[in-house]
Amino acid sequence: MGFKCGIIGLPNVGKSTLFNALTETAAAQAANYPFCTIEPNVGEVAVPDARLATLAALAKSAAIVPTRLNFVDIAGLVRGASKGEGLGNQFLANIREVDAIAHVVRCFEDTEVTHVEGCIDPVADIETVETELMLADLDSLERRVDGLERKARGTDKDAKEAKETLDLIERALAQLREGKPARLTERKPEEDKPFRMLGLLTALPVLYVCNVDEAAAAPGNAYSRQVVQRAAAEGAAVIAISAKIEAEIALLGRDERAEYLAAIGLEEAGLDRLIRAGYALLDLVTFFTAGPKEARAWTVTRGIKAPQAAGVIHTDFERGFIRAETIAYADYLACGGEAGARDAGKMRLEGKDYVVQDGDVMHFRFAT
């Protein structure tokens, strides 16, 4: 389990070039005209984690299985997309199916690549896309109000649920009518699940990806700094990536990549930074299982308890959960593996209330 990240933005900002580079494919058509991407392209990548290879070596694992991340390259949005312009409604539906949005923003100048608005203005571009998403959310919520009001007049359980949903919708509508995204809607922790069920586009977490030219890949530029300022104001995440550099990296062998990155002043590839930013945005952590057969990474939401983590591996593990034999990654490494950690008293027996920590190496005991 990883997460599903939708790549959105205006046409010609470098979405498909970035998608191809990150997924190391040529699945997404990249061309200098709007809507060269029609159907969403989906690519799956392994999430890089150096800890996994170390665990595999210590456990003498025959195979290494990383967790996976899905990228969905969604066609460019334009002004009027919420009303169907530029095949807009078709693409907006695709966005609803992702866990987070990577909003690619053009932060480079190139006279050979047209801009749909006629000039380079990353903040204006962000506002164009966000406005269309907010208008789509407004339309979606307003169409539900009448039906919920009728249901809420009753006295049964359905009426109670309708009243609660209606209250949540009214709070979200208040934000949207003020020109603010739905994710800023105040809500109680117990309302998070019904809020997600509303399927609002502007409720999704956003990571701004500044597509800069090669020279600005490490330091950024004046355009990307505008996006950083905008992101800080709304509590969003932001990274700068050169899609051209990522495309070049994708053509290199693993050993050559480190040398290339060092030569241009980058410590790591854009994919690694994007994944790390995405994990932080969605508050995800990784736990491991390791044995002779395989060493494997599993991605879960921070705060998940041991039985639910076991259920990510197999539903039977959760139903019959007894305990989790748990070793912190640092202890597993320091003690030379499971046997050493057990002998040193570093293996813990955790029960149903244990909250899984990033890097835990776990073995689940369950009843069949």
Side-chain angles (χ1 to χ4, degrees), residues 72-359:
V72 184
D73 177 31
I74 297 165
L77 295 169
V78 294
R79 194 182 303 277
S82 59
K83 303 299 181 183
E85 292 294 327
L87 307 178
N89 286 332
Q90 175 183 339
F91 303 147
L92 291 171
N94 295 326
I95 302 172
R96 298 185 197 279
E97 300 173 3
V98 303
D99 300 310
I101 290 172
H103 185 164
V104 181
V105 186
R106 179 170 173 173
C107 294
F108 66 90
E109 294 185 5
D110 188 335
T111 56
E112 295 183 2
V113 180
T114 59
H115 190 290
V116 292
E117 297 288 351
C119 65
I120 311 301
D121 188 338
V123 173
D125 291 352
I126 289 171
E127 290 174 351
T128 295
V129 172
E130 183 120 288
T131 296
E132 294 307 320
L133 299 184
M134 287 191 290
L135 288 171
D137 282 346
L138 265 171
D139 181 62
S140 172
L141 293 180
E142 287 174 342
R143 284 189 283 106
R144 301 185 211 183
V145 170
D146 287 346
L148 285 169
E149 285 179 339
R150 286 194 294 272
K151 277 188 178 181
R153 296 189 191 106
T155 56
D156 56 5
K157 181 182 176 183
D158 288 344
K160 181 176 181 295
E161 290 180 358
K163 288 176 185 177
E164 292 172 351
T165 302
L166 189 60
D167 177 58
L168 199 54
I169 284 177
E170 291 293 354
R171 276 180 274 155
L173 281 172
Q175 291 289 332
L176 293 164
R177 286 166 180 159
E178 290 181 8
K180 299 176 182 178
R183 57 181 166 274
L184 300 180
T185 303
E186 290 188 10
R187 54 194 184 275
K188 300 173 184 176
E190 59 268 26
E191 292 178 315
D192 281 342
K193 184 175 180 180
F195 184 73
R196 287 195 301 271
M197 295 296 289
L198 295 178
L200 300 177
L201 301 169
T202 61
L204 292 167
V206 174
L207 168 64
Y208 291 117
V209 181
C210 300
N211 186 11
V212 299
D213 56 34
E214 296 96 316
N221 59 24
Y223 293 131
S224 66
R225 285 189 283 275
Q226 291 177 32
V227 180
V228 169
Q229 188 174 15
R230 161 82 184 223
E234 62 183 65
V238 59
I239 61 171
I241 289 180
S242 169
K244 286 187 177 180
I245 287 178
E246 296 304 316
E248 292 170 2
I249 291 173
L251 300 175
L252 300 176
R254 295 290 174 183
D255 295 337
E256 298 173 289
R257 294 184 182 188
E259 293 180 12
Y260 179 83
L261 289 169
I264 60 176
L266 292 175
E267 294 182 0
E268 58 184 345
L271 172 62
D272 296 356
R273 289 187 289 122
L274 194 155
I275 289 174
R276 192 169 61 251
Y279 268 51
L281 187 67
L282 291 171
D283 211 13
L284 302 175
V285 297
T286 300
F287 75 89
F288 303 99
T289 53
K293 182 180 178 181
E294 66 179 26
R296 186 163 187 155
W298 306 86
T299 298
V300 294
T301 304
R302 189 183 303 277
I304 195 171
K305 293 186 177 180
Q308 289 71 50
V312 172
I313 300 175
H314 198 288
T315 53
D316 287 348
F317 288 16
E318 182 176 359
R319 281 197 295 266
F321 178 88
I322 299 173
R323 64 179 181 272
E325 297 173 354
T326 307
I327 306 168
Y329 173 78
D331 292 333
Y332 196 99
L333 183 61
C335 297
E338 182 179 324
R342 185 189 299 110
D343 293 343
K346 297 296 184 180
M347 176 183 283
R348 312 184 309 273
L349 300 181
E350 303 290 1
K352 294 182 178 181
D353 292 328
Y354 176 68
V355 176
V356 175
Q357 302 299 304
D358 185 61

Side-chain angles (χ1 to χ4, degrees), residues 15-71:
K15 294 186 301 83
S16 295
T17 299
L18 183 63
F19 173 87
N20 290 340
L22 296 177
T23 58
E24 298 184 22
T25 70
Q29 185 180 3
N32 181 24
Y33 57 87
F35 315 122
C36 66
T37 302
I38 302 300
E39 294 298 325
N41 300 293
V42 181
E44 187 177 72
V45 300
V47 175
D49 193 323
R51 296 175 296 182
L52 193 54
T54 303
L55 288 173
L58 291 171
K60 297 180 173 56
S61 304
I64 295 176
V65 184
T67 192
R68 313 295 293 183
L69 163 65
N70 285 315
F71 283 114

